[in-house]
C-alpha cells in the first residue's frame, strides 16, 4: 500500500522537475542574445557613428560586469522572493535593454543599455542555474549543463534573423524587435517557475556531495573556493575574448566575408562560425556536465580546458584560413561553454544547495573579472599588430587551469569532503 501511494508522488516530482528545467532553459534561450549577438552589432554601430571600436566594446564589458557582480545580490532575492518574481523582473529588464539600444545615439546610451541588460540577464541566469542545482542534486552536471546550454546555444536560433535584419539596413530595428520578443518569452516562462519543497528531491548516490549547507561566509573561508575562483577566471577570459571579438578577429584576419561553400548552401565565414559556435557552445554544457557526473568534475575540467587551450593556439596559427577559422572557433566554443556547468555543479557539491545562490553568485563574479580583459585584447592587438599574441596569452591561462584542476583542486576537494563527514559515493570515480 505504501509503495503504491508513494510511487505516484515520485512520478509527479520527477515530471515536475523536468518541467521546471524546461521553463528555465526557455528563459536562458531568450536571454542569450544580449551577449552572443553583440558582435554582430559592433561593426554597424561603428559605421553609423564613427566611434572607436574599443570605446564601443566598453558596453560589452559593462554588461558582463553588471551581470556577474550583482549575482550575489540576486542570490539573496532568489532566496527571499523565489525564482518566479526574480525572473519576471529579469525579463522586463532584458527587453528594456534592447529597446534602449535601439534608440541610443551616444556611447552613454549604449552603456546605459548594457547596465539595464546586465541586471536583467543576471536575474534570469542566476535564478535558472540556481533552480537547476536545487531540483537535480542527483544529476547536477547534466541539469545545470542543459540550463547553461540554453544560454550558450539559444542564440543559434536567432543569429541569422538578426544578421539578416541588420544587413537589410537597420540594426536599430533588430534591437527593438528582438527585445520585445525575448523579453515577453522570459516573462511568460517566469510565471511557472518555483523551487523544490523540503524532501522533494534526494541526493546523488554516485557523486561525492556535501551533506552540510555552508553559508556564504563559511564558503569564503575555505581555500578551495578561491582556487575555483582563480580557475574560473582563467578559463572564462579566453571564451569572453572570443565572444566579444570574434567578428573583429574575422575582419582583421580577412575571412569575415569569405563564402564557405558546403555544396548544398553557402554562407559567409563569420555568420557561419557564429552559428556553429552557438551550437557547439550549447552542446558542450550538458555534454561535459553529463561526463562530469560519471568521471568527476576535476578530470572533466582537465580534458575541456586543455582542449580549449590547444584550440585557441591553433586558431591564432591557422585562423587566416576561412575553413580553419570556422572549425577551430567551433572547437574553442565546444571546450569553453562547459565552465558554467562544471563550476556551478562543483560549487553545489562542495558547499550544499541551501545557500548556493549567494555562493555561486560570488564565484560567478569570475566572469566579471575576466570581462575586464576584453578591451585589453584590443590594446594588445594594436600594440603587437596581431591577434596571435592575444590568443596565445589566453591559451596559457586555459592550460594553467587544466593543470590546477587535477594537481590542486582534486586533492583539496577530497580533504574538504572528508573533513565535513560527507558519505562516500556508491561508485567512486
Amino acid at each position: 500500500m505504501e509503495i503504491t501511494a508513494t510511487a505516484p508522488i515520485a512520478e509527479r516530482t520527477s515530471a515536475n522537475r523536468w518541467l521546471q528545467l524546461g521553463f528555465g532553459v526557455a528563459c536562458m534561450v531568450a536571454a542569450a542574445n544580449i551577449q552572443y549577438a553583440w558582435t554582430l552589432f559592433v561593426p554597424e554601430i561603428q559605421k553609423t557613428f564613427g566611434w572607436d571600436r574599443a570605446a564601443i566594446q566598453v558596453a560589452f564589458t559593462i554588461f558582463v560586469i553588471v551581470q556577474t557582480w550583482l549575482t550575489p545580490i540576486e542570490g539573496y532575492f532568489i532566496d527571499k522572493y523565489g525564482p518566479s518574481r526574480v525572473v519576471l523582473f529579469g525579463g522586463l529588464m532584458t527587453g528594456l535593454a534592447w529597446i534602449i539600444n535601439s534608440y541610443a545615439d551616444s556611447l552613454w546610451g549604449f552603456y546605459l543599455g548594457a547596465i539595464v541588460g546586465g541586471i536583467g540577464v543576471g536575474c534570469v541566469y542566476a535564478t535558472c542555474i540556481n533552480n537547476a542545482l536545487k531540483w537535480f542534486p542527483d544529476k547536477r552536471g547534466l541539469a545545470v549543463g542543459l540550463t547553461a546550454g540554453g544560454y550558450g546555444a539559444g542564440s543559434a536560433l536567432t543569429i541569422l534573423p538578426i544578421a539578416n535584419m541588420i544587413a537589410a539596413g537597420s540594426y536599430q530595428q533588430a534591437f527593438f524587435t528582438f527585445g520585445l520578443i525575448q523579453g515577453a518569452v522570459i516573462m511568460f516562462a517566469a510565471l511557472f517557475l518555483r523551487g523544490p519543497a523540503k524532501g522533494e528531491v534526494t541526493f546523488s548516490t554516485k557523486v561525492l556531495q556535501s551533506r552540510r549547507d555552508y553559508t556564504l561566509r563559511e564558503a569564503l573561508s575555505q581555500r578551495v573556493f578561491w582556487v575555483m575562483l582563480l580557475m574560473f577566471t582563467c578559463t572564462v577570459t579566453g571564451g569572453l575574448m572570443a565572444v566579444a571579438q570574434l567578428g573583429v578577429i574575422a575582419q582583421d584576419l580577412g575571412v569575415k566575408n569569405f563564402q564557405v561553400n558546403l555544396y548544398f548552401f553557402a554562407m559567409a565565414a563569420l555568420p557561419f562560425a557564429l552559428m556553429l559556435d552557438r551550437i557547439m557552445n550549447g552542446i558542450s554544457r550538458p555534454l561535459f556536465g553529463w561526463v562530469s557526473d560519471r568521471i568527476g568534475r576535476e578530470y572533466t575540467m582537465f580534458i575541456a580546458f586543455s582542449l580549449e587551450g590547444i584550440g585557441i593556439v591553433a586558431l591564432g596559427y591557422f585562423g587566416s584560413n576561412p575553413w580553419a577559422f570556422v572549425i577551430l572557433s567551433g572547437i574553442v566554443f565546444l571546450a569553453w561553454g562547459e565552465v558554467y556547468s562544471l563550476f556551478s555543479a562543483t560549487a553545489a557539491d562542495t558547499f550544499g544547495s541551501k545557500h548556493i545562490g549567494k555562493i555561486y553568485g560570488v564565484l560567478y563574479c569570475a566572469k566579471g573579472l575576466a570581462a575586464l580583459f576584453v578591451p585589453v585584447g584590443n590594446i594588445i592587438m594594436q600594440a603587437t599588430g596581431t591577434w596571435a599574441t592575444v590568443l596565445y596569452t589566453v591559451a596559457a591561462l586555459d592550460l594553467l587551469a587544466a593543470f590546477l584542476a587535477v594537481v590542486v583542486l582534486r586533492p583539496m576537494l577530497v580533504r574538504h569532503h572528508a573533513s565535513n563527514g560527507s558519505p562516500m559515493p556508491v561508485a567512486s570515480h
Side-chain angles (χ1 to χ4, degrees), residues 39-167:
T39 190
L40 295 176
F41 290 96
V42 173
E44 301 303 316
I45 296 171
Q46 184 179 27
K47 184 169 64 176
T48 301
F49 297 103
W51 298 325
D52 183 70
R53 182 192 297 166
I56 299 171
Q57 289 290 24
V58 169
F60 183 87
T61 301
I62 291 172
F63 162 76
V64 176
I65 289 174
V66 172
Q67 184 214 348
T68 53
W69 290 2
L70 289 182
T71 305
I73 299 174
E74 291 154 1
Y76 167 81
F77 286 111
I78 294 167
D79 291 340
K80 185 175 179 63
Y81 297 109
S84 182
R85 292 183 181 180
V86 177
V87 174
L88 193 66
F89 175 75
L92 176 63
M93 297 293 279
T94 300
L96 180 61
W98 281 66
I99 294 172
I100 290 173
N101 285 341
S102 73
Y103 286 103
D105 56 6
S106 68
L107 283 171
W108 288 106
F110 287 103
Y111 297 165
L112 174 62
I115 292 171
V116 174
I119 295 171
V121 175
C123 288
V124 174
Y125 192 101
T127 308
C128 295
I129 291 292
N130 181 283
N131 224 30
L133 290 171
K134 290 183 176 179
W135 275 106
F136 288 87
D138 55 329
K139 295 181 176 67
R140 202 165 258 156
L142 175 62
V144 77
L146 288 169
T147 305
Y151 191 77
S155 56
L157 300 171
T158 47
I159 281 292
L160 289 181
I162 289 176
N164 290 338
M165 187 172 289
I166 292 174

Side-chain angles (χ1 to χ4, degrees), residues 36 46 54 111 113 122-123 138 156 174 251 266 290 293 301 336 341 387:
Y36 288 101
Q46 184 179 27
Y111 297 165
C123 288
D138 55 329
Q251 181 174 309
W290 176 80
D293 285 336
M301 288 177 181
W336 174 64
S341 56
W387 280 105

